[in-house]
Amino acid sequence: LLREKYSKAMREGTELNVKLNPADQDFLAHLNDYIYALMSNHGLNSDMVADKMCMSRSQLNRKVRAITGYNTSAYILRLLASTEELIGDIALKCGFEDANYFARLFKQIFNVTPSQYRKSLIQ
């Protein structure tokens, strides 16, 4: 039930209204810090983030999925799409050489394009 609550809040962009326990808040804050710090590396992936978090990739996936309902890769895509950077630049930072492929993959996961996702954040 909690996973569904947090997943729904993330999809609707109301995750700030969802109360997490302090340990989960700290975990996500550290995760976000590492993701933003690693953004300058081309080919950002969940293995790199897991290494920085001193966890295995499977442990990181389980923890992120338990809190957000998304796997680590989807969480990274969502987090990067919420920045002000150009979608093409985000795609390159995630290791995608083709921004169109990045957008198609993003749409498969979130049912909206990265541009539509950004517009929904503004509203």
Side-chain angles (χ1 to χ4, degrees):
L1 291 173
L2 288 174
R3 182 183 318 147
E4 181 57 35
K5 176 182 176 181
Y6 298 133
S7 297
K8 181 180 178 193
M10 287 185 73
R11 283 191 302 271
E12 295 173 355
T14 60
E15 64 266 16
L16 297 177
N17 299 332
V18 175
K19 298 292 181 195
L20 295 173
N21 67 46
D24 288 345
Q25 287 177 343
D26 288 343
F27 177 82
L28 286 180
H30 282 78
L31 178 65
N32 291 348
D33 290 344
Y34 284 126
I35 291 170
Y36 286 124
L38 293 170
M39 275 177 49
S40 61
N41 296 337
H42 291 288
L44 174 65
N45 61 35
S46 56
D47 288 328
M48 293 171 70
V49 176
D51 185 50
K52 288 291 185 184
M53 296 286 292
C54 299
M55 304 174 89
S56 71
R57 185 181 52 163
S58 58
Q59 285 177 311
L60 181 63
N61 269 327
R62 280 193 300 271
K63 181 74 171 175
V64 171
R65 189 179 301 270
I67 297 171
T68 67
Y70 294 112
N71 66 24
T72 307
S73 297
Y75 183 77
I76 291 170
L77 290 176
R78 185 191 162 280
L79 188 63
L80 294 180
S82 64
T83 67
E84 296 296 320
E85 292 191 46
L86 298 173
I87 301 297
D89 291 342
I90 292 169
L92 284 175
K93 288 181 180 185
C94 291
F96 294 90
E97 293 188 21
D98 182 8
N100 291 329
Y101 179 67
F102 171 81
R104 284 193 307 270
L105 182 62
F106 189 93
K107 186 171 182 172
Q108 282 179 343
I109 296 171
F110 299 107
N111 297 321
V112 293
T113 65
S115 300
Q116 291 169 333
Y117 179 77
R118 280 191 176 162
K119 287 178 187 174
S120 72
L121 292 177
I122 294 171
Q123 295 173 354

